[in-house]
Amino acid sequence: MSPDAHPVIGIFASDHGPGDAERATIMSQAGSYLARRGARLACVVDTTDTIPVPLLTSARTAGGEVILIGDEAFSEPSYLTGVTVEHAPTAEARLARLAEISTLYVALPGSLASAIALYRTWVRGGGGPGRRPVVFFDRNGAFRVMRGYAADVLSTSIKNHDRYLQFADSVEDIWNKAAWLIDQGATNPV
């Protein structure tokens, strides 16, 4: 990846379960690591209760850019002053906007709601032909089923399936997989 590349990563993290120390640690590590590598993080927030605070705070502390996409009434809380906030009237429009601006998606272990949002955004972005691959952070086997499906089904039925899905085993590996996908042209429009 060229040194001046600043991909927009549509990131999906748990928006439920505040106080979960392990998820907060994962989000903090991912936010700061990706921001230090030059990635801009974008996510959809529906209310101030659904903001992945550790992720965004650590990304901003590391000097990263954060883009929040909320509804018309959403305004960032004081602790996120200076964050870029975009508005879209419906949940579908917010997901479509995230799909439009993202280079690729990163899924962190989290809630079922974040998995559903990832799927809906991926569909709004055109699915596989939309050239928005997904990097799953498979911490403690969080995406074991997806990983098995990719190995058993996708690998035998879809040419270059690895340009649609990647599985990372560490926060550093998330960036390695994202950089590889960008270098391979997996994120370029067809």
Side-chain angles (χ1 to χ4, degrees):
M1 181 182 334
S2 66
D4 60 346
H6 297 286
V8 175
I9 295 178
I11 196 151
F12 297 85
S14 177
D15 55 3
H16 300 317
D20 184 320
E22 184 177 15
R23 269 189 268 180
T25 299
I26 290 168
M27 285 192 272
S28 294
Q29 291 172 351
S32 64
Y33 193 85
L34 294 171
R36 285 194 317 265
R37 297 298 177 272
R40 296 175 288 166
L41 304 183
C43 64
V44 171
V45 292
D46 291 319
T47 67
T48 54
D49 295 340
T50 63
I51 298 172
V53 176
L55 175 81
L56 304 180
T57 302
S58 64
R60 292 186 67 225
T61 301
E65 181 183 343
V66 173
I67 304 164
L68 298 177
I69 305 167
D71 66 14
E72 299 294 335
F74 180 79
S75 64
E76 76 274 10
S78 60
Y79 60 85
L80 291 177
T81 301
V83 167
T84 301
V85 177
E86 296 186 12
H87 300 278
T90 65
E92 293 299 315
R94 290 187 286 282
L95 295 176
R97 177 63 181 147
L98 182 61
E100 179 184 337
I101 65 173
S102 296
T103 307
L104 58 95
Y105 308 123
V106 167
L108 300 178
S111 66
L112 184 56
S114 61
I116 292 167
L118 168 63
Y119 176 73
R120 287 182 176 157
T121 304
W122 184 75
V123 169
R124 296 305 168 274
R131 306 294 286 232
R132 301 295 188 285
V134 182
V135 178
F136 292 93
F137 182 27
D138 195 24
R139 168 109 173 158
N140 294 331
F143 297 106
R144 182 176 299 138
V145 171
M146 285 294 301
R147 196 174 209 162
Y149 177 78
D152 294 343
V153 177
L154 296 181
S155 64
T156 61
S157 61
I158 297 176
K159 183 178 178 180
N160 295 322
H161 79 285
D162 59 342
R163 294 191 183 183
Y164 296 100
L165 299 174
Q166 285 286 315
F167 296 91
D169 296 315
S170 67
V171 171
E172 296 81 7
D173 198 28
I174 294 171
W175 179 253
N176 294 338
K177 304 290 184 181
W180 181 83
L181 287 163
I182 292 168
D183 284 344
Q184 295 299 309
T187 61
N188 296 339
V190 178

